[in-house]
Amino acid sequence: MKISRIVLRHVMMKLKQPFTTSFGTTLEKSFLLVEVHDEEGLVGYGESTAMENPLYNEETVKTNHHMLRDYLIPLVLGRELRHPDECSTLFSPIRRNMMAKAALEGAIWDLYAKRQQQPLSRALGGAKEKIPVGVSIGIQSDIPAMLRQVERFLTEGYRRIKVKVKPGADVEVLAAIRREFGDIPLMADANSAYTLDDLELLRQFDEFGLMMIEQPLAHDDIVDHAILQRELRTPICLDESIHSVDDVRRALQLGSCRIINIKVGRVGGLTPAKQIHDYCLSQDIPVWCGGMLESGVGRAHNVAIASLAGFSLPGDTSASDRYWEQDLIRPAVTVENGYVTIPDAPGIGYEVDRDQVERITVASETYR
Ligand code: OSB
Ligand code: MG
């Protein structure tokens, strides 16, 4: 396939409700959409999961724009590609900037699958027909507000509840959820809000029989996490610390975690995500697909990768209406009985609503 034109859009979508983590609150989501066009008029779509500000990782909408415009797009534009896996090799001289790479690579995967007239899930090697999904609930103003959110999502059928925690909004919240809802599949995500100085506090998490605690310690750490994991019964799941198969290998060798959250953006694309999945499957380490408040485009990529066999735990691939009044894709992603059905149309499997994309576009550039 030959990519003859690339359109880069800066778009803005307003979330239904603010989403709060230990690092900040998002209400308006500003992000980049990538369109790759081939000579036959087919289009592949990708979404950058870089946020406006560098609070989750070091990337931002603007750094992604720079990397795409000045480095990554020139590497693929006009080039004959046989397979999207080639992006990993082409991009390898460029250090990091994983989300920028993933946005372009994801668009190329979509285009490739459309050209093969195959759903992206199948092009990636996924065989599942539906995937179990969970939901991620942001930090709330008080415990009653949190209990209302948990109740709402349990009613909607979600198969696992994840709550964001931070010092001062943690054990009491978890205790209240257990008291109210009993033995539901429950986990907590700290987004690096703790240090080893909080060991005695973190030990109290063990009382709640959580499925896991996600990224309790620093975003760039695997050593302190190994010390913590030896002290806790609750499995640690790493999110921010993992960018590659080598990161996973080293973390497992040290005993830093027992579960891996795979985010396509954080690891640099679908090909690296699949490699991490394959490695974890070979090591008997459960994985699940994380989310970054994606629009339908990124959500569709997440649904596709989560169709691989090793994604044995419910992911953060919730329904479009979890965050959006109106999504960019048709039909919207829906959850029935706690499952999302893998679409069988070619590529990402959902139609991109071009009118809606135009309405939310703040700026766009075309490269040819
Ligand atoms: O740590 O998983 C995270 C959202 C933004 C940044 C980081 C994270 C999250 C979520 C929400 O937990 C996942 C989602 O529903 O998209
Ligand atoms: Mg996380």
Side-chain angles (χ1 to χ4, degrees):
M1 78 190 138
K2 191 162 163 185
I3 295 159
S4 54
R5 181 161 54 101
I6 297 181
V7 181
L8 195 53
R9 289 170 189 272
H10 179 190
V11 301
M12 187 87 85
M13 280 172 81
K14 200 167 178 292
L15 286 137
K16 280 167 127 179
Q17 313 157 319
F19 186 83
T20 301
T21 66
S22 60
F23 60 76
T25 297
T26 309
L27 182 54
E28 301 230 292
K29 184 138 197 280
S30 162
F31 60 98
L32 298 176
L33 276 180
V34 181
E35 293 173 25
V36 296
H37 297 251
D38 71 3
E39 287 165 320
E40 283 103 72
L42 288 173
V43 193
Y45 293 93
E47 171 172 345
S48 159
T49 56
M51 307 211 146
E52 183 80 15
N53 299 306
L55 304 176
Y56 166 81
N57 70 349
E58 69 282 9
E59 294 180 75
T60 69
V61 173
K62 281 186 182 160
T63 67
N64 272 219
H65 178 245
H66 163 54
M67 292 309 301
L68 284 160
R69 181 192 59 195
D70 297 331
Y71 294 99
L72 302 171
I73 288 175
L75 285 171
V76 299
L77 196 60
R79 188 186 285 266
E80 187 61 45
L81 293 173
R82 259 157 302 139
H83 193 275
D85 284 349
E86 290 170 21
C87 291
S88 293
T89 320
L90 283 172
F91 297 166
S92 66
I94 312 290
R95 296 272 162 96
R96 307 280 296 204
N97 293 284
M98 303 308 204
M99 292 171 168
K101 291 174 179 172
L104 182 53
E105 188 249 30
I108 292 171
W109 263 107
D110 180 27
L111 177 62
Y112 170 79
K114 282 171 176 158
R115 289 171 60 95
Q116 305 283 313
Q117 298 190 335
Q118 213 183 7
L120 180 57
S121 59
R122 303 299 176 248
L124 288 164
K128 289 183 205 161
E129 273 163 24
K130 57 181 189 170
I131 53 165
V133 296
V135 68
S136 174
I137 304 178
I139 293 167
Q140 303 293 311
S141 51
D142 52 42
I143 288 175
M146 178 58 90
L147 296 179
R148 282 195 298 276
Q149 291 288 312
V150 173
E151 159 131 64
R152 173 186 153 202
F153 291 118
L154 286 174
T155 307
E156 290 182 22
Y158 285 99
R159 305 227 147 221
R160 178 223 69 191
I161 299 289
K162 154 169 148 182
V163 294
K164 295 290 190 177
V165 292
K166 66 174 181 184
D170 45 35
V171 284
E172 298 78 10
V173 177
L174 295 167
I177 295 172
R178 278 289 183 237
R179 227 178 294 123
E180 190 77 14
F181 303 102
D183 195 24
I184 57 166
L186 181 66
M187 61 174 287
D189 185 0
N191 290 108
S192 300
Y194 301 92
T195 71
L196 282 181
D197 291 342
D198 301 307
L199 181 57
E200 291 316 310
L201 172 65
L202 290 166
R203 273 190 217 285
Q204 295 178 43
F205 282 60
D206 270 348
E207 285 168 39
F208 304 113
L210 303 177
M211 297 169 78
M212 68 194 91
I213 175 167
E214 188 178 344
Q215 197 74 31
L217 308 178
H219 70 95
D220 55 355
D221 168 77
I222 55 170
V223 175
D224 288 354
H225 278 103
I227 295 170
L228 180 62
Q229 182 67 95
R230 280 198 285 280
E231 300 294 324
L232 297 186
R233 255 180 293 132
T234 308
I236 291 176
C237 169
L238 290 178
D239 172 352
E240 282 89 331
S241 299
I242 300 297
H243 306 93
S244 63
V245 173
D246 281 330
D247 283 351
V248 175
R249 178 180 56 75
R250 290 186 277 247
L252 295 183
Q253 202 155 339
L254 281 178
S256 318
C257 66
R258 296 187 199 137
I259 299 173
I260 298 287
N261 167 332
I262 298 180
K263 284 182 183 167
V264 177
R266 194 191 66 235
V267 304
L270 290 164
T271 298
K274 185 170 153 62
Q275 285 165 350
I276 292 175
H277 160 274
D278 294 351
Y279 180 72
C280 288
L281 195 56
S282 78
Q283 302 296 305
D284 254 331
I285 294 293
V287 305
W288 55 278
C289 182
M292 292 290 293
L293 316 175
E294 288 91 342
S295 81
V297 170
R299 202 161 289 276
H301 285 86
N302 292 344
V303 167
I305 194 80
S307 73
L308 303 189
F311 284 83
S312 53
L313 296 165
D316 280 345
T317 41
S318 43
S320 294
D321 72 359
R322 159 77 184 94
Y323 294 115
W324 314 116
E325 216 68 71
Q326 192 185 344
D327 205 343
L328 298 182
I329 52 166
R330 272 192 304 236
V333 176
T334 53
V335 171
E336 274 159 60
N337 249 323
Y339 287 86
V340 168
T341 301
I342 305 291
D344 49 24
I348 59 172
Y350 302 87
E351 192 197 326
V352 172
D353 181 343
R354 304 282 312 175
D355 293 337
Q356 180 63 4
V357 169
E358 285 299 338
R359 278 194 286 274
I360 62 167
T361 298
V362 180
S364 74
E365 286 162 3
T366 302
Y367 304 86
R368 47 179 104 236

